[in-house]
Amino acid sequence: MNKDRAIFNQNEKLAMTINGLESGGMHFNVNEKQADDLVKNEAISKFNTQVDEYVNRFEEHAKALEKAVEEFTMSSKAEIRPIGNYIIIKPFAENPFQRIKKVGRLIIDLGGQKPQYKNNDNGEIEEEENITKSGVIVEVGPECKWAQIGDCVFYPRTSIIPIPFYKQGLELVNESRLIAIVNDNLTERFNGR
């Protein structure tokens, strides 16, 4: 058994030496170039080809987008309107209704600032996401009962459908998913319905 193991080890060592994986290994030349250089050059060439293909696909996509925008803008002035009981919201970067509360030099309320924590998976310091978002309504669907353009609203992050309309950062939310509406004279509006 030890004799078979010794022969296997010798064969393995010989294979590693031939492939240049062990110090003092043999180097092969092909057309006066080392095989290692040929392999490296082939890998570089393959990578450059992949990059060129990616750039070409990107340029074709950009041209198609430009053509679509040109065709669309030539025919009309673009507007966006939700259907049914959906509303379009322009979200606030930070909730404007929260304030930092201090007593002397002691902060007792962060005012909606996102708490930070250390992620146990990767060890990085990350910000916790707020569950509730706020924003202003820019458009309402024809079946909306309570929400109106200009209302500030609170809504859950899980209800958001991003609207990729000229990179305005708009979000679509169903009216029934709103948590609260903030505006003047809401009591009169709601009692009148």
Side-chain angles (χ1 to χ4, degrees):
M1 187 73 167
N2 284 340
K3 187 177 181 182
D4 291 337
R5 186 69 164 144
I7 292 172
F8 176 77
N9 287 341
Q10 283 180 334
N11 289 341
E12 184 178 26
K13 193 173 191 177
L14 179 62
M16 291 178 73
T17 302
I18 290 172
N19 289 317
L21 299 175
E22 189 171 274
S23 62
M26 297 174 20
H27 296 281
F28 293 98
N29 291 331
V30 178
N31 295 337
E32 299 180 9
K33 290 187 177 181
Q34 287 192 356
D36 293 342
D37 292 337
L38 290 174
V39 169
K40 287 179 187 176
N41 290 339
E42 181 65 28
I44 290 170
S45 175
K46 184 177 179 182
F47 177 78
N48 289 338
T49 301
Q50 289 173 341
V51 169
D52 291 341
E53 289 173 0
Y54 177 78
V55 168
N56 289 338
R57 282 196 324 261
F58 180 76
E59 288 174 353
E60 288 174 11
H61 180 68
K63 287 177 186 176
L65 284 176
E66 287 176 12
K67 183 179 177 186
V69 167
E70 185 179 308
E71 289 173 0
F72 181 74
T73 55
M74 289 175 74
S75 64
S76 68
K77 287 194 170 204
E79 289 185 22
I80 185 166
R81 299 281 314 238
I83 59 172
N85 63 345
Y86 283 96
I87 58 175
I88 297 177
I89 300 171
K90 178 71 173 171
F92 296 128
E94 297 290 334
N95 184 346
F97 301 104
Q98 291 182 317
R99 302 282 187 254
I100 295 175
K101 191 182 260 186
K102 296 181 183 179
V103 175
R105 298 183 76 174
L106 181 65
I107 298 173
I108 60 172
D109 188 348
L110 291 174
Q113 185 177 355
K114 300 171 188 162
Q116 294 182 341
Y117 66 96
K118 184 174 181 179
N119 187 327
N120 291 332
D121 294 333
N122 60 18
E124 299 288 322
I125 301 295
E126 296 181 0
E127 282 189 351
E128 198 170 285
E129 290 190 29
N130 290 331
I131 296 170
T132 305
K133 290 190 71 174
S134 59
V136 64
I137 296 176
V138 294
E139 285 292 338
V140 295
E143 297 174 16
C144 288
K145 295 180 183 178
W146 310 106
Q148 292 181 0
I149 296 173
D151 287 344
C152 292
V153 291
F154 291 95
Y155 52 100
R157 178 179 295 281
T158 56
S159 301
I160 298 169
I161 302 170
I163 303 293
F165 186 71
Y166 292 114
K167 296 186 179 182
Q168 294 182 26
L170 301 175
E171 298 174 340
L172 185 75
V173 176
N174 192 300
E175 185 186 35
S176 64
R177 298 294 294 156
L178 294 179
I179 298 170
I181 298 175
V182 179
N183 209 339
D184 295 333
N185 304 319
L186 288 177
T187 306
E188 292 174 19
R189 184 196 317 172
F190 290 177
N191 287 339
R193 293 197 185 231

mmCIF file of all heavy atoms in Angstrom, residues 113-158:
data_model
loop_
_atom_site.group_PDB
_atom_site.id
_atom_site.type_symbol
_atom_site.label_atom_id
_atom_site.label_comp_id
_atom_site.label_asym_id
_atom_site.label_seq_id
_atom_site.Cartn_x
_atom_site.Cartn_y
_atom_site.Cartn_z
ATOM 1 N N GLN A 113 -34.271 60.622 12.128
ATOM 2 C CA GLN A 113 -32.988 60.223 11.561
ATOM 3 C C GLN A 113 -32.849 58.718 11.682
ATOM 4 O O GLN A 113 -33.190 58.127 12.702
ATOM 5 C CB GLN A 113 -31.843 60.922 12.287
ATOM 6 C CG GLN A 113 -30.501 60.637 11.680
ATOM 7 C CD GLN A 113 -29.389 61.401 12.378
ATOM 8 O OE1 GLN A 113 -29.639 62.205 13.256
ATOM 9 N NE2 GLN A 113 -28.171 61.143 11.976
ATOM 10 N N LYS A 114 -32.352 58.109 10.637
ATOM 11 C CA LYS A 114 -32.267 56.659 10.608
ATOM 12 C C LYS A 114 -31.179 56.166 11.566
ATOM 13 O O LYS A 114 -30.037 56.610 11.480
ATOM 14 C CB LYS A 114 -31.957 56.190 9.191
ATOM 15 C CG LYS A 114 -33.004 56.601 8.197
ATOM 16 C CD LYS A 114 -32.553 56.324 6.782
ATOM 17 C CE LYS A 114 -33.540 56.925 5.815
ATOM 18 N NZ LYS A 114 -33.008 57.066 4.487
ATOM 19 N N PRO A 115 -31.525 55.273 12.474
ATOM 20 C CA PRO A 115 -30.504 54.741 13.377
ATOM 21 C C PRO A 115 -29.497 53.884 12.617
ATOM 22 O O PRO A 115 -29.839 53.263 11.613
ATOM 23 C CB PRO A 115 -31.303 53.891 14.365
ATOM 24 C CG PRO A 115 -32.683 53.844 13.884
ATOM 25 C CD PRO A 115 -32.838 54.774 12.733
ATOM 26 N N GLN A 116 -28.266 53.875 13.096
ATOM 27 C CA GLN A 116 -27.231 53.055 12.486
ATOM 28 C C GLN A 116 -26.987 51.826 13.351
ATOM 29 O O GLN A 116 -27.168 51.862 14.562
ATOM 30 C CB GLN A 116 -25.938 53.851 12.339
ATOM 31 C CG GLN A 116 -26.052 54.991 11.357
ATOM 32 C CD GLN A 116 -24.729 55.719 11.197
ATOM 33 O OE1 GLN A 116 -23.844 55.626 12.033
ATOM 34 N NE2 GLN A 116 -24.601 56.450 10.111
ATOM 35 N N TYR A 117 -26.564 50.747 12.690
ATOM 36 C CA TYR A 117 -26.260 49.525 13.414
ATOM 37 C C TYR A 117 -25.139 48.796 12.690
ATOM 38 O O TYR A 117 -24.865 49.043 11.520
ATOM 39 C CB TYR A 117 -27.505 48.623 13.519
ATOM 40 C CG TYR A 117 -27.971 48.084 12.192
ATOM 41 C CD1 TYR A 117 -27.589 46.818 11.775
ATOM 42 C CD2 TYR A 117 -28.773 48.845 11.347
ATOM 43 C CE1 TYR A 117 -28.005 46.318 10.544
ATOM 44 C CE2 TYR A 117 -29.190 48.352 10.126
ATOM 45 C CZ TYR A 117 -28.803 47.091 9.731
ATOM 46 O OH TYR A 117 -29.205 46.603 8.517
ATOM 47 N N LYS A 118 -24.487 47.907 13.396
ATOM 48 C CA LYS A 118 -23.425 47.110 12.797
ATOM 49 C C LYS A 118 -24.031 45.823 12.266
ATOM 50 O O LYS A 118 -24.642 45.057 13.006
ATOM 51 C CB LYS A 118 -22.345 46.801 13.825
ATOM 52 C CG LYS A 118 -21.167 46.057 13.237
ATOM 53 C CD LYS A 118 -20.052 45.891 14.246
ATOM 54 C CE LYS A 118 -18.887 45.162 13.621
ATOM 55 N NZ LYS A 118 -17.790 45.021 14.577
ATOM 56 N N ASN A 119 -23.877 45.583 10.976
ATOM 57 C CA ASN A 119 -24.388 44.382 10.336
ATOM 58 C C ASN A 119 -23.531 43.198 10.762
ATOM 59 O O ASN A 119 -22.318 43.190 10.565
ATOM 60 C CB ASN A 119 -24.360 44.558 8.812
ATOM 61 C CG ASN A 119 -25.022 43.418 8.091
ATOM 62 O OD1 ASN A 119 -24.983 42.269 8.524
ATOM 63 N ND2 ASN A 119 -25.638 43.728 6.968
ATOM 64 N N ASN A 120 -24.158 42.191 11.348
ATOM 65 C CA ASN A 120 -23.412 41.022 11.816
ATOM 66 C C ASN A 120 -22.890 40.160 10.678
ATOM 67 O O ASN A 120 -21.954 39.398 10.859
ATOM 68 C CB ASN A 120 -24.285 40.175 12.747
ATOM 69 C CG ASN A 120 -24.564 40.877 14.056
ATOM 70 O OD1 ASN A 120 -23.771 41.686 14.506
ATOM 71 N ND2 ASN A 120 -25.699 40.573 14.662
ATOM 72 N N ASP A 121 -23.502 40.263 9.491
ATOM 73 C CA ASP A 121 -23.064 39.443 8.365
ATOM 74 C C ASP A 121 -21.765 39.935 7.755
ATOM 75 O O ASP A 121 -20.886 39.152 7.427
ATOM 76 C CB ASP A 121 -24.148 39.390 7.285
ATOM 77 C CG ASP A 121 -25.395 38.674 7.768
ATOM 78 O OD1 ASP A 121 -25.264 37.818 8.665
ATOM 79 O OD2 ASP A 121 -26.485 38.964 7.244
ATOM 80 N N ASN A 122 -21.658 41.264 7.546
ATOM 81 C CA ASN A 122 -20.461 41.780 6.877
ATOM 82 C C ASN A 122 -19.621 42.713 7.747
ATOM 83 O O ASN A 122 -18.576 43.180 7.321
ATOM 84 C CB ASN A 122 -20.839 42.497 5.574
ATOM 85 C CG ASN A 122 -21.768 43.670 5.793
ATOM 86 O OD1 ASN A 122 -21.898 44.171 6.894
ATOM 87 N ND2 ASN A 122 -22.419 44.106 4.723
ATOM 88 N N GLY A 123 -20.087 43.026 8.966
ATOM 89 C CA GLY A 123 -19.324 43.864 9.873
ATOM 90 C C GLY A 123 -19.359 45.352 9.549
ATOM 91 O O GLY A 123 -18.691 46.140 10.190
ATOM 92 N N GLU A 124 -20.129 45.760 8.539
ATOM 93 C CA GLU A 124 -20.220 47.156 8.130
ATOM 94 C C GLU A 124 -21.268 47.895 8.959
ATOM 95 O O GLU A 124 -22.237 47.307 9.419
ATOM 96 C CB GLU A 124 -20.597 47.254 6.646
ATOM 97 C CG GLU A 124 -19.598 46.622 5.700
ATOM 98 C CD GLU A 124 -18.325 47.417 5.579
ATOM 99 O OE1 GLU A 124 -18.395 48.658 5.582
ATOM 100 O OE2 GLU A 124 -17.255 46.787 5.485
ATOM 101 N N ILE A 125 -21.070 49.205 9.104
ATOM 102 C CA ILE A 125 -22.064 50.055 9.757
ATOM 103 C C ILE A 125 -23.092 50.443 8.693
ATOM 104 O O ILE A 125 -22.732 50.970 7.630
ATOM 105 C CB ILE A 125 -21.420 51.321 10.363
ATOM 106 C CG1 ILE A 125 -20.359 50.940 11.401
ATOM 107 C CG2 ILE A 125 -22.480 52.226 10.957
ATOM 108 C CD1 ILE A 125 -20.902 50.245 12.627
ATOM 109 N N GLU A 126 -24.352 50.164 8.934
ATOM 110 C CA GLU A 126 -25.411 50.437 7.966
ATOM 111 C C GLU A 126 -26.522 51.241 8.623
ATOM 112 O O GLU A 126 -26.674 51.216 9.842
ATOM 113 C CB GLU A 126 -25.975 49.130 7.404
ATOM 114 C CG GLU A 126 -24.956 48.334 6.623
ATOM 115 C CD GLU A 126 -25.523 47.052 6.044
ATOM 116 O OE1 GLU A 126 -26.725 46.784 6.248
ATOM 117 O OE2 GLU A 126 -24.769 46.317 5.400
ATOM 118 N N GLU A 127 -27.290 51.937 7.776
ATOM 119 C CA GLU A 127 -28.449 52.680 8.275
ATOM 120 C C GLU A 127 -29.679 51.801 8.182
ATOM 121 O O GLU A 127 -29.874 51.084 7.205
ATOM 122 C CB GLU A 127 -28.682 53.944 7.435
ATOM 123 C CG GLU A 127 -27.764 55.064 7.768
ATOM 124 C CD GLU A 127 -28.158 56.352 7.070
ATOM 125 O OE1 GLU A 127 -29.044 56.338 6.198
ATOM 126 O OE2 GLU A 127 -27.566 57.383 7.396
ATOM 127 N N GLU A 128 -30.500 51.876 9.200
ATOM 128 C CA GLU A 128 -31.760 51.153 9.192
ATOM 129 C C GLU A 128 -32.749 51.917 8.320
ATOM 130 O O GLU A 128 -32.766 53.141 8.318
ATOM 131 C CB GLU A 128 -32.278 51.072 10.626
ATOM 132 C CG GLU A 128 -33.319 50.026 10.840
ATOM 133 C CD GLU A 128 -33.614 49.848 12.321
ATOM 134 O OE1 GLU A 128 -32.783 49.251 13.005
ATOM 135 O OE2 GLU A 128 -34.668 50.330 12.761
ATOM 136 N N GLU A 129 -33.546 51.214 7.549
ATOM 137 C CA GLU A 129 -34.529 51.882 6.693
ATOM 138 C C GLU A 129 -35.821 52.110 7.468
ATOM 139 O O GLU A 129 -36.268 51.246 8.213
ATOM 140 C CB GLU A 129 -34.817 51.035 5.453
ATOM 141 C CG GLU A 129 -33.663 50.988 4.493
ATOM 142 C CD GLU A 129 -34.055 50.352 3.176
ATOM 143 O OE1 GLU A 129 -35.231 50.441 2.780
ATOM 144 O OE2 GLU A 129 -33.183 49.755 2.548
ATOM 145 N N ASN A 130 -36.400 53.288 7.265
ATOM 146 C CA ASN A 130 -37.691 53.560 7.888
ATOM 147 C C ASN A 130 -38.769 52.767 7.167
ATOM 148 O O ASN A 130 -38.752 52.637 5.946
ATOM 149 C CB ASN A 130 -38.022 55.053 7.808
ATOM 150 C CG ASN A 130 -37.135 55.883 8.705
ATOM 151 O OD1 ASN A 130 -36.671 55.405 9.718
ATOM 152 N ND2 ASN A 130 -36.896 57.122 8.326
ATOM 153 N N ILE A 131 -39.717 52.251 7.907
ATOM 154 C CA ILE A 131 -40.811 51.486 7.322
ATOM 155 C C ILE A 131 -41.791 52.417 6.625
ATOM 156 O O ILE A 131 -42.353 52.095 5.595
ATOM 157 C CB ILE A 131 -41.534 50.667 8.410
ATOM 158 C CG1 ILE A 131 -40.568 49.639 8.998
ATOM 159 C CG2 ILE A 131 -42.771 49.990 7.865
ATOM 160 C CD1 ILE A 131 -41.085 48.939 10.227
ATOM 161 N N THR A 132 -41.972 53.606 7.178
ATOM 162 C CA THR A 132 -42.930 54.564 6.644
ATOM 163 C C THR A 132 -42.215 55.649 5.870
ATOM 164 O O THR A 132 -41.198 56.167 6.309
ATOM 165 C CB THR A 132 -43.731 55.204 7.800
ATOM 166 O OG1 THR A 132 -44.320 54.169 8.567
ATOM 167 C CG2 THR A 132 -44.799 56.119 7.275
ATOM 168 N N LYS A 133 -42.755 55.996 4.708
ATOM 169 C CA LYS A 133 -42.233 57.093 3.896
ATOM 170 C C LYS A 133 -43.262 58.216 3.864
ATOM 171 O O LYS A 133 -44.430 58.008 4.177
ATOM 172 C CB LYS A 133 -41.955 56.617 2.471
ATOM 173 C CG LYS A 133 -40.776 55.666 2.384
ATOM 174 C CD LYS A 133 -40.381 55.398 0.964
ATOM 175 C CE LYS A 133 -39.731 56.632 0.382
ATOM 176 N NZ LYS A 133 -39.186 56.431 -0.945
ATOM 177 N N SER A 134 -42.816 59.381 3.449
ATOM 178 C CA SER A 134 -43.737 60.504 3.293
ATOM 179 C C SER A 134 -43.411 61.232 2.002
ATOM 180 O O SER A 134 -42.290 61.171 1.508
ATOM 181 C CB SER A 134 -43.628 61.459 4.488
ATOM 182 O OG SER A 134 -42.310 61.948 4.605
ATOM 183 N N GLY A 135 -44.425 61.891 1.455
ATOM 184 C CA GLY A 135 -44.238 62.628 0.211
ATOM 185 C C GLY A 135 -45.457 63.462 -0.104
ATOM 186 O O GLY A 135 -46.426 63.488 0.667
ATOM 187 N N VAL A 136 -45.413 64.132 -1.234
ATOM 188 C CA VAL A 136 -46.526 64.974 -1.658
ATOM 189 C C VAL A 136 -47.155 64.360 -2.912
ATOM 190 O O VAL A 136 -46.461 63.850 -3.784
ATOM 191 C CB VAL A 136 -46.071 66.439 -1.896
ATOM 192 C CG1 VAL A 136 -45.084 66.535 -3.040
ATOM 193 C CG2 VAL A 136 -47.248 67.347 -2.114
ATOM 194 N N ILE A 137 -48.481 64.404 -2.976
ATOM 195 C CA ILE A 137 -49.203 63.836 -4.111
ATOM 196 C C ILE A 137 -49.109 64.793 -5.297
ATOM 197 O O ILE A 137 -49.425 65.973 -5.173
ATOM 198 C CB ILE A 137 -50.679 63.572 -3.749
ATOM 199 C CG1 ILE A 137 -50.769 62.524 -2.644
ATOM 200 C CG2 ILE A 137 -51.472 63.139 -4.976
ATOM 201 C CD1 ILE A 137 -52.179 62.268 -2.145
ATOM 202 N N VAL A 138 -48.686 64.261 -6.447
ATOM 203 C CA VAL A 138 -48.600 65.094 -7.654
ATOM 204 C C VAL A 138 -49.719 64.778 -8.644
ATOM 205 O O VAL A 138 -50.072 65.621 -9.463
ATOM 206 C CB VAL A 138 -47.219 64.972 -8.339
ATOM 207 C CG1 VAL A 138 -46.133 65.554 -7.463
ATOM 208 C CG2 VAL A 138 -46.883 63.540 -8.697
ATOM 209 N N GLU A 139 -50.281 63.584 -8.581
ATOM 210 C CA GLU A 139 -51.419 63.206 -9.439
ATOM 211 C C GLU A 139 -52.254 62.165 -8.727
ATOM 212 O O GLU A 139 -51.728 61.348 -7.969
ATOM 213 C CB GLU A 139 -50.956 62.636 -10.783
ATOM 214 C CG GLU A 139 -50.431 63.635 -11.773
ATOM 215 C CD GLU A 139 -51.484 64.591 -12.314
ATOM 216 O OE1 GLU A 139 -52.687 64.266 -12.260
ATOM 217 O OE2 GLU A 139 -51.098 65.668 -12.781
ATOM 218 N N VAL A 140 -53.567 62.173 -8.974
ATOM 219 C CA VAL A 140 -54.472 61.165 -8.412
ATOM 220 C C VAL A 140 -55.263 60.519 -9.539
ATOM 221 O O VAL A 140 -55.558 61.154 -10.547
ATOM 222 C CB VAL A 140 -55.447 61.768 -7.369
ATOM 223 C CG1 VAL A 140 -54.686 62.275 -6.173
ATOM 224 C CG2 VAL A 140 -56.297 62.854 -7.963
ATOM 225 N N GLY A 141 -55.598 59.258 -9.350
ATOM 226 C CA GLY A 141 -56.423 58.559 -10.324
ATOM 227 C C GLY A 141 -57.880 58.981 -10.205
ATOM 228 O O GLY A 141 -58.299 59.540 -9.192
ATOM 229 N N PRO A 142 -58.693 58.696 -11.232
ATOM 230 C CA PRO A 142 -60.088 59.140 -11.254
ATOM 231 C C PRO A 142 -60.968 58.500 -10.176
ATOM 232 O O PRO A 142 -62.022 59.039 -9.851
ATOM 233 C CB PRO A 142 -60.562 58.768 -12.655
ATOM 234 C CG PRO A 142 -59.631 57.713 -13.135
ATOM 235 C CD PRO A 142 -58.334 57.952 -12.446
ATOM 236 N N GLU A 143 -60.578 57.374 -9.619
ATOM 237 C CA GLU A 143 -61.395 56.698 -8.616
ATOM 238 C C GLU A 143 -60.966 56.997 -7.174
ATOM 239 O O GLU A 143 -61.508 56.403 -6.236
ATOM 240 C CB GLU A 143 -61.367 55.191 -8.859
ATOM 241 C CG GLU A 143 -61.971 54.797 -10.192
ATOM 242 C CD GLU A 143 -61.818 53.313 -10.490
ATOM 243 O OE1 GLU A 143 -61.516 52.534 -9.556
ATOM 244 O OE2 GLU A 143 -61.991 52.940 -11.661
ATOM 245 N N CYS A 144 -60.040 57.909 -6.971
ATOM 246 C CA CYS A 144 -59.588 58.243 -5.611
ATOM 247 C C CYS A 144 -60.679 59.008 -4.874
ATOM 248 O O CYS A 144 -61.276 59.934 -5.412
ATOM 249 C CB CYS A 144 -58.302 59.071 -5.669
ATOM 250 S SG CYS A 144 -56.883 58.109 -6.174
ATOM 251 N N LYS A 145 -60.951 58.616 -3.624
ATOM 252 C CA LYS A 145 -62.006 59.242 -2.829
ATOM 253 C C LYS A 145 -61.456 60.281 -1.860
ATOM 254 O O LYS A 145 -62.107 61.289 -1.611
ATOM 255 C CB LYS A 145 -62.745 58.174 -2.017
ATOM 256 C CG LYS A 145 -63.499 57.180 -2.841
ATOM 257 C CD LYS A 145 -64.174 56.176 -1.937
ATOM 258 C CE LYS A 145 -64.896 55.115 -2.745
ATOM 259 N NZ LYS A 145 -65.527 54.111 -1.899
ATOM 260 N N TRP A 146 -60.289 60.034 -1.268
ATOM 261 C CA TRP A 146 -59.812 60.867 -0.177
ATOM 262 C C TRP A 146 -58.614 61.733 -0.555
ATOM 263 O O TRP A 146 -58.523 62.869 -0.095
ATOM 264 C CB TRP A 146 -59.436 59.997 1.030
ATOM 265 C CG TRP A 146 -60.510 59.030 1.386
ATOM 266 C CD1 TRP A 146 -60.513 57.686 1.169
ATOM 267 C CD2 TRP A 146 -61.754 59.336 2.006
ATOM 268 N NE1 TRP A 146 -61.681 57.132 1.615
ATOM 269 C CE2 TRP A 146 -62.466 58.139 2.142
ATOM 270 C CE3 TRP A 146 -62.353 60.504 2.464
ATOM 271 C CZ2 TRP A 146 -63.724 58.058 2.709
ATOM 272 C CZ3 TRP A 146 -63.608 60.432 3.032
ATOM 273 C CH2 TRP A 146 -64.268 59.211 3.152
ATOM 274 N N ALA A 147 -57.716 61.210 -1.331
ATOM 275 C CA ALA A 147 -56.475 61.919 -1.639
ATOM 276 C C ALA A 147 -56.683 62.948 -2.744
ATOM 277 O O ALA A 147 -57.460 62.736 -3.670
ATOM 278 C CB ALA A 147 -55.402 60.919 -2.063
ATOM 279 N N GLN A 148 -55.966 64.064 -2.614
ATOM 280 C CA GLN A 148 -56.007 65.124 -3.626
ATOM 281 C C GLN A 148 -54.590 65.591 -3.925
ATOM 282 O O GLN A 148 -53.689 65.423 -3.099
ATOM 283 C CB GLN A 148 -56.829 66.316 -3.137
ATOM 284 C CG GLN A 148 -58.296 66.042 -2.989
ATOM 285 C CD GLN A 148 -59.065 67.270 -2.532
ATOM 286 O OE1 GLN A 148 -58.495 68.334 -2.318
ATOM 287 N NE2 GLN A 148 -60.373 67.112 -2.386
ATOM 288 N N ILE A 149 -54.430 66.195 -5.080
ATOM 289 C CA ILE A 149 -53.129 66.748 -5.458
ATOM 290 C C ILE A 149 -52.721 67.787 -4.415
ATOM 291 O O ILE A 149 -53.520 68.618 -4.005
ATOM 292 C CB ILE A 149 -53.183 67.369 -6.865
ATOM 293 C CG1 ILE A 149 -53.470 66.287 -7.900
ATOM 294 C CG2 ILE A 149 -51.896 68.106 -7.200
ATOM 295 C CD1 ILE A 149 -53.715 66.811 -9.303
ATOM 296 N N GLY A 150 -51.472 67.721 -3.974
ATOM 297 C CA GLY A 150 -50.962 68.668 -2.989
ATOM 298 C C GLY A 150 -50.989 68.154 -1.567
ATOM 299 O O GLY A 150 -50.369 68.756 -0.680
ATOM 300 N N ASP A 151 -51.707 67.061 -1.304
ATOM 301 C CA ASP A 151 -51.720 66.484 0.043
ATOM 302 C C ASP A 151 -50.355 65.874 0.354
ATOM 303 O O ASP A 151 -49.716 65.275 -0.518
ATOM 304 C CB ASP A 151 -52.762 65.365 0.160
ATOM 305 C CG ASP A 151 -54.188 65.869 0.198
ATOM 306 O OD1 ASP A 151 -54.387 67.072 0.430
ATOM 307 O OD2 ASP A 151 -55.101 65.040 -0.017
ATOM 308 N N CYS A 152 -49.936 66.007 1.602
ATOM 309 C CA CYS A 152 -48.784 65.255 2.089
ATOM 310 C C CYS A 152 -49.329 63.949 2.649
ATOM 311 O O CYS A 152 -50.367 63.950 3.317
ATOM 312 C CB CYS A 152 -48.039 66.028 3.167
ATOM 313 S SG CYS A 152 -47.224 67.497 2.553
ATOM 314 N N VAL A 153 -48.643 62.859 2.366
ATOM 315 C CA VAL A 153 -49.148 61.562 2.792
ATOM 316 C C VAL A 153 -48.038 60.720 3.417
ATOM 317 O O VAL A 153 -46.860 60.913 3.132
ATOM 318 C CB VAL A 153 -49.778 60.779 1.614
ATOM 319 C CG1 VAL A 153 -51.058 61.439 1.159
ATOM 320 C CG2 VAL A 153 -48.811 60.636 0.459
ATOM 321 N N PHE A 154 -48.462 59.794 4.262
ATOM 322 C CA PHE A 154 -47.591 58.770 4.814
ATOM 323 C C PHE A 154 -48.032 57.435 4.219
ATOM 324 O O PHE A 154 -49.237 57.161 4.120
ATOM 325 C CB PHE A 154 -47.696 58.716 6.343
ATOM 326 C CG PHE A 154 -47.119 59.924 7.010
ATOM 327 C CD1 PHE A 154 -47.933 60.987 7.368
ATOM 328 C CD2 PHE A 154 -45.763 59.991 7.285
ATOM 329 C CE1 PHE A 154 -47.410 62.102 7.987
ATOM 330 C CE2 PHE A 154 -45.228 61.103 7.905
ATOM 331 C CZ PHE A 154 -46.050 62.167 8.254
ATOM 332 N N TYR A 155 -47.071 56.602 3.841
ATOM 333 C CA TYR A 155 -47.388 55.312 3.224
ATOM 334 C C TYR A 155 -46.262 54.333 3.521
ATOM 335 O O TYR A 155 -45.120 54.724 3.749
ATOM 336 C CB TYR A 155 -47.594 55.477 1.711
ATOM 337 C CG TYR A 155 -46.459 56.188 0.997
ATOM 338 C CD1 TYR A 155 -45.493 55.474 0.302
ATOM 339 C CD2 TYR A 155 -46.353 57.576 1.023
ATOM 340 C CE1 TYR A 155 -44.464 56.117 -0.350
ATOM 341 C CE2 TYR A 155 -45.333 58.225 0.371
ATOM 342 C CZ TYR A 155 -44.379 57.495 -0.313
ATOM 343 O OH TYR A 155 -43.353 58.139 -0.957
ATOM 344 N N PRO A 156 -46.585 53.022 3.536
ATOM 345 C CA PRO A 156 -45.551 52.025 3.846
ATOM 346 C C PRO A 156 -44.602 51.810 2.665
ATOM 347 O O PRO A 156 -45.015 51.826 1.502
ATOM 348 C CB PRO A 156 -46.349 50.751 4.148
ATOM 349 C CG PRO A 156 -47.672 50.952 3.522
ATOM 350 C CD PRO A 156 -47.915 52.432 3.425
ATOM 351 N N ARG A 157 -43.351 51.622 2.988
ATOM 352 C CA ARG A 157 -42.318 51.382 1.967
ATOM 353 C C ARG A 157 -42.649 50.157 1.109
ATOM 354 O O ARG A 157 -42.334 50.113 -0.073
ATOM 355 C CB ARG A 157 -40.970 51.187 2.665
ATOM 356 C CG ARG A 157 -39.821 50.889 1.751
ATOM 357 C CD ARG A 157 -38.519 50.743 2.507
ATOM 358 N NE ARG A 157 -38.095 51.963 3.142
ATOM 359 C CZ ARG A 157 -37.503 52.974 2.528
ATOM 360 N NH1 ARG A 157 -37.270 52.899 1.248
ATOM 361 N NH2 ARG A 157 -37.155 54.055 3.185
ATOM 362 N N THR A 158 -43.332 49.165 1.691
ATOM 363 C CA THR A 158 -43.628 47.926 0.970
ATOM 364 C C THR A 158 -44.688 48.106 -0.109
ATOM 365 O O THR A 158 -44.888 47.216 -0.927
ATOM 366 C CB THR A 158 -44.102 46.844 1.952
ATOM 367 O OG1 THR A 158 -45.225 47.345 2.688
ATOM 368 C CG2 THR A 158 -42.986 46.465 2.908
#
